[in-house]
Amino acid sequence: MRGLTLTAKEQTRLQVLNGVLERRWSMTVAAEVLGVSERQGWRLLAAYRKEGAAALAHGNRGRVPPNATSAATRQRVVALAQERYRGVNHTHLAELLAEREGVVLSRPTVRRLLVGAGLPSPRHRRPPRHRCRRQRMPQEGMLVQIDGSHHRWLEERGSWFTLLLAVDDATGTVPYALFQEQEDTEGYFRLLQGIIERRGVPLAVYTDRHAVFQSRFPGPDQALAAGGGQSTQCARALRELGVTQVFAHSPEAKGRVERANGTFQDRLVSELRLAGASRLEEANQVLTDFLPRFNQRFGVPAAQPESAYRPVDPELDLGSVLCIKELRRVAKDNTVQYHGRSLQLFPDLERPSYAGARVEVQERLDGRLLVRHRHQILTPQEAPALAAELRNRVSAGPVRAELPDPDPTDWRPPRRVKAPVIPGPLAGETIWYEDAGKKRVHRDLTRAGIERARQEGKRIGRPRATQREGFSMRWQGALGRLQSGELSRRGAAQELGISYPTLKRLLDSTTPVEPHRQAKENGTAGNTPDVPSPPAHPI
């Protein structure tokens, strides 16, 4: 074991297996915490007994599997699924590839390639499953359920907030909770920071499939996230901390945190009303005083009194883990572009220039922007503006708009804005918004633009189906095929790109309305005697 280095995940496995050997919990509980099957848990335990901690380090680390599918084959399978075999389910596609293309791949391999390319199977079938009550974890800190509850916590005294809540599965107590304007990555980072600072690092967390924890649209842009792959920022942080992430397949699966949300929506709303809280800061202060009383009232003792929370490594910079990380390439002038901002890097004794280097930009919770190159943390500054940018600012003549106070009855929280200045159009001028409160001004500008379009006689929204370019010619062709029996009504609707009720209305009116553009060019807009009137119901 001399010189052996274990990752955070392998250290977690070591702690859990030691608990099984000391008979503090069963293998069934340990397998759930590790995220493996019970059979695999016994395999890990047998290898650990035989070889020690070295058995937990994977032997194929850094090797390429000999049976890996080649890149050319992967590209060919994806291309065939997008073109020739479009709409074929994964099982059928694997059979067609072997019969017609000579590409013999298993169904799981084909499915993995297509799902990784963003091509899910068109047919979904969920098998029936038996549900039963799940036993609590034996020790506190083995599993923590976290969730967000968007609710009118301040009633009519303020806007809607989101309560980010963490519930320990063993005791039902709340290690930490806080109010945020919305359910986002920054809020969950602050929640994890509060749990770690007060209790320690949990062994596993139980979450839903929110976009914060699981990417909904995986693609090439996800590779920019530190850690690679298609994981989110929160999943990357949990992986660096060695915390197992367990996903719930239904709200009932994480029933303890869901029931706690209901209790908070009942009791905490009354507490906030009695305290007269009307702002986010006041609500968080009331929540801090409420948590000890809630834990004392609804907490239950764990089966084993020991705590499974892991202490934080003194050498670990927690702020460098619970932050937004993105990879960037340094420009020739030693600047880094990050969400509309230019960060200037300065030389040091070890490296006089960082031009062309790949660096990691960290957006900390305290608002700082740091740059990490290898194992060195750099402190950049705002780069001076270029001459072209200065000339554009002078010629544009930006006008700073005064934002009104937020409406307490508006329940939608403002969207998080990374850049400090955001431009928006208004009658040929440029308005600069200072923060995320631009939503109300943007809505007013949209309404003003709609009213101006109505005064000018312009159509608002997308054109009608019969007013699209080339629709009349395509309709005549489809109508002839309908009368000859070559095409069905539903096939005609699909070919024309309209709904079936719309097709029926057009058939009832004998001929469709001519496109508005053609009528306008002929100078007969609004007066077309040779064209029948549109159907009674608008299309």
Side-chain angles (χ1 to χ4, degrees):
M1 295 180 56
R2 185 174 182 180
L4 178 64
T5 301
L6 297 179
T7 62
K9 180 179 179 180
E10 293 165 354
Q11 293 177 10
T12 301
R13 287 190 170 186
L14 180 65
Q15 180 181 355
V16 174
L17 293 179
N18 286 333
V20 175
L21 292 176
E22 297 172 2
R23 299 182 181 277
R24 288 184 290 172
W25 48 72
S26 64
M27 177 55 70
T28 303
V29 175
E32 186 175 357
V33 173
L34 294 177
V36 300
S37 64
E38 185 176 354
R39 187 176 181 181
Q40 178 66 11
W42 287 113
R43 290 196 190 101
L44 294 175
L45 183 61
Y48 177 51
R49 284 174 172 172
K50 182 178 179 181
E51 303 177 14
L56 301 180
H58 203 287
N60 290 331
R61 185 178 298 171
R63 299 180 182 177
V64 178
N67 59 343
T69 307
S70 62
T73 304
R74 293 197 300 266
Q75 295 176 1
R76 184 184 178 189
V77 170
V78 174
L80 290 173
Q82 292 176 337
E83 300 172 359
R84 183 179 305 175
Y85 303 115
R86 188 181 189 90
V88 179
N89 64 70
H90 294 170
T91 303
H92 191 194
L93 179 60
E95 299 173 358
L96 293 177
L97 291 176
E99 295 174 0
R100 303 185 180 184
E101 307 296 336
V103 180
V104 181
L105 294 174
S106 63
R107 186 199 62 82
T109 301
V110 174
R111 180 182 181 278
R112 184 174 64 252
L113 295 179
L114 297 183
V115 171
L119 300 174
S121 178
R123 185 174 184 180
H124 300 277
R125 179 181 298 171
R126 178 179 296 177
R129 296 167 54 186
H130 174 72
R131 298 183 180 275
C132 60
R133 292 185 180 181
R134 182 179 56 82
Q135 295 291 335
R136 293 178 179 267
M137 290 294 171
Q139 283 188 4
E140 185 180 14
M142 294 187 64
L143 182 66
V144 175
Q145 300 184 15
I146 58 178
D147 191 24
S149 176
H150 192 67
H151 186 66
R152 187 179 286 278
W153 297 98
L154 300 181
E155 298 175 318
E156 303 298 333
R157 302 184 307 278
S159 59
W160 288 57
F161 292 149
T162 298
L163 174 65
L164 301 182
L165 186 64
V167 176
D168 192 277
D169 187 80
T171 62
T173 58
V174 178
Y176 188 65
L178 78 158
F179 282 112
Q180 289 285 117
E181 292 184 351
Q182 58 185 349
E183 188 176 3
D184 55 3
T185 302
E186 180 183 355
Y188 279 107
F189 277 165
R190 296 187 183 277
L191 179 66
L192 291 174
Q193 183 180 16
I195 296 174
I196 295 174
E197 291 178 350
R198 288 162 177 77
R199 302 292 180 88
V201 181
L203 299 184
V205 294
Y206 203 43
T207 67
D208 54 14
R209 296 179 181 271
H210 193 274
V212 173
F213 306 107
Q214 186 180 44
S215 178
R216 296 179 179 175
F217 307 101
D221 295 340
Q222 293 291 337
L224 296 177
Q230 299 174 353
S231 62
T232 62
Q233 294 285 345
C234 194
R236 184 265 315 158
L238 293 175
R239 185 170 58 251
E240 293 182 5
L241 292 172
V243 179
T244 303
Q245 186 177 6
V246 183
F247 291 108
H249 296 277
S250 64
E252 293 81 7
K254 51 185 181 67
R256 290 187 176 89
V257 68
E258 293 289 351
R259 287 190 292 271
N261 282 329
T263 305
F264 272 72
Q265 291 177 6
D266 180 21
R267 297 197 173 210
L268 185 56
V269 169
S270 302
E271 295 281 348
L272 294 171
R273 186 192 317 117
L274 295 175
S278 59
R279 294 183 298 116
L280 181 65
E281 296 78 8
E282 299 174 355
N284 276 317
Q285 182 61 40
V286 175
L287 176 62
T288 303
D289 300 335
F290 176 76
L291 287 182
R293 290 184 281 123
F294 175 86
N295 293 336
Q296 183 179 3
R297 171 64 178 82
F298 295 99
V300 297
Q304 300 178 12
E306 297 84 2
S307 176
Y309 284 103
R310 291 188 290 108
V312 184
D313 188 358
E315 299 181 358
L316 175 65
D317 183 10
L318 190 59
S320 64
V321 177
L322 302 178
C323 64
I324 304 296
K325 295 183 180 181
E326 296 185 11
L327 299 181
R328 292 292 188 270
R329 178 79 68 178
V330 182
K332 294 182 179 181
D333 56 354
N334 283 276
T335 58
V336 177
Q337 300 296 325
Y338 183 76
H339 296 284
R341 302 177 62 180
S342 297
L343 307 178
Q344 182 71 61
L345 302 182
F346 299 97
D348 52 18
L349 297 178
E350 298 182 359
R351 188 173 181 125
S353 176
Y354 292 92
R358 295 282 288 181
V359 296
E360 179 185 84
V361 180
Q362 298 181 0
E363 184 178 356
R364 301 291 182 93
L365 294 179
D366 55 5
R368 295 182 300 163
L369 285 180
L370 303 180
V371 176
R372 180 176 178 267
H373 179 258
R374 296 181 180 176
H375 299 287
Q376 184 180 5
I377 298 295
L378 309 177
T379 55
Q381 296 181 4
E382 289 286 345
L386 300 177
E389 297 178 1
L390 296 176
R391 287 192 294 268
N392 292 335
R393 293 179 184 178
V394 175
S395 61
V399 180
R400 295 189 176 272
E402 296 293 336
L403 298 179
D405 295 333
D407 187 2
T409 62
D410 193 354
W411 63 270
R412 294 191 177 184
R415 300 181 63 183
R416 183 172 180 268
V417 180
K418 292 181 178 297
V421 179
I422 298 178
L426 175 61
E429 299 181 351
T430 302
I431 291 189
W432 299 83
Y433 302 101
E434 294 291 344
D435 51 22
K438 70 183 191 320
K439 175 175 63 64
R440 171 176 291 275
V441 176
H442 177 72
R443 182 181 59 191
D444 296 340
L445 298 180
T446 303
R447 291 176 177 175
I450 294 175
E451 184 64 26
R452 183 165 58 251
R454 287 176 178 172
Q455 295 176 0
E456 296 176 0
K458 297 181 180 179
R459 177 176 176 82
I460 301 173
R462 60 182 297 184
R464 296 179 178 178
T466 56
Q467 295 176 351
R468 299 171 188 170
E469 185 176 1
F471 180 82
S472 179
M473 183 179 301
R474 291 187 289 111
W475 166 259
Q476 295 297 335
L479 185 60
R481 295 168 63 189
L482 276 171
Q483 294 175 353
S484 62
E486 298 179 3
L487 188 65
S488 64
R489 286 195 173 189
R490 295 196 179 275
Q494 185 176 4
E495 182 178 315
L496 294 173
I498 59 179
S499 63
Y500 185 74
T502 301
L503 178 68
K504 293 181 61 178
R505 289 197 295 269
L506 291 178
L507 292 175
D508 294 340
S509 62
T510 306
T511 54
V513 182
E514 292 294 331
H516 179 71
R517 180 179 301 178
Q518 182 177 357
K520 187 175 182 180
E521 293 176 357
N522 297 336
T524 60
N527 184 19
T528 55
D530 55 334
V531 178
S533 301
H537 301 283
I539 299 173

